[in-house]
Amino acid sequence: MNGARTSNASRREAPRGRIDKRQAILEAAFRTFAREGYGQSCVREIAAEAGVAKPTIYNHLGDKEMLFREAMLAAVGRTSGAGLAALEQLRERGGDVRPMLEEAGHRILKNHCGPESQALRRLLNAEAVRFPDLLETIQGEGAQRLHDSLADRLARFALSGRLHTSDPDLAAEQFLALLTGPMALRTRLGTRKVSDAELRTVGRAAVDTFLRAYAPRAVESP
């Protein structure tokens, strides 16, 4: 009976172990591709990074191209999740929108300037010609999802009278541009680490400019 219970437990644990191994391979692959580039990376090196045998990678993910695609999609899933979590600061509730926008902006910037986000953008730029369909997919899963979610939150603020805009999609696009636009220069294309204080300064400046355009209009007396 004990043997039967052990056998059943092993069968239950096997799928979890397979998922964990796949995740370890994808994370190792992304680190390797980010460090070496797609062309210079090899499956043997990725296997060593993941601590698995080379055939294990082929069993889980097929060839190098499929491995790259899946590693990139896993990375954008992690970074986009962090970006969407930043928008939790904009949940509908009373009060001034400025501190909510500043906190959300700061979190968006921290994610945007994080090592994984920087590496993802570098790889996308480097391999866009080789994988044009992947570029489109990742933009949809990453930047577009963040934009759409932000536009929804800004639309709610507009409906409650705390922002003034008839085009929340445009407002979201402009807010994200105000946040992330300066960062290519400030990070020197991802080669310079930006301090948290500097990120907060950029975020506050973005909110100041944004609210000059989108703050509620004062009601004129007749």
Side-chain angles (χ1 to χ4, degrees), residues 41-53:
S41 298
C42 65
V43 175
R44 180 179 293 104
E45 183 180 7
I46 292 167
E49 181 94 10
V52 301

Side-chain angles (χ1 to χ4, degrees), residues 10-80:
S10 297
R11 282 197 295 270
R12 288 195 298 271
E13 290 168 3
R16 178 72 260 172
R18 183 174 179 83
I19 291 170
D20 291 343
K21 185 170 290 187
R22 177 186 173 90
Q23 181 177 335
I25 291 169
L26 291 176
E27 290 176 359
F30 184 78
R31 290 194 300 269
T32 304
F33 288 130
R35 185 173 63 244
E36 306 292 341
Y38 178 80
Q40 298 302 312
S41 298
C42 65
V43 175
R44 180 179 293 104
E45 183 180 7
I46 292 167
E49 181 94 10
V52 301
K54 184 178 175 181
T56 302
I57 290 184
Y58 290 117
N59 290 337
H60 279 263
L61 290 149
D63 58 13
K64 177 181 169 181
E65 179 178 331
M66 182 58 67
L67 181 58
F68 180 76
R69 290 177 179 276
E70 292 296 321
M72 293 289 279
L73 290 172
V76 78
R78 292 188 294 271
T79 58
S80 67

Side-chain angles (χ1 to χ4, degrees), residues 9 20 26 37 83 107 130 132 135 146 162 165-166 168 172 184 192 206:
D20 291 343
L26 291 176
R107 294 190 181 194
R130 194 195 304 261
L135 172 63
L146 180 64
R162 285 183 284 166
T165 178
S166 60
R192 171 182 175 265

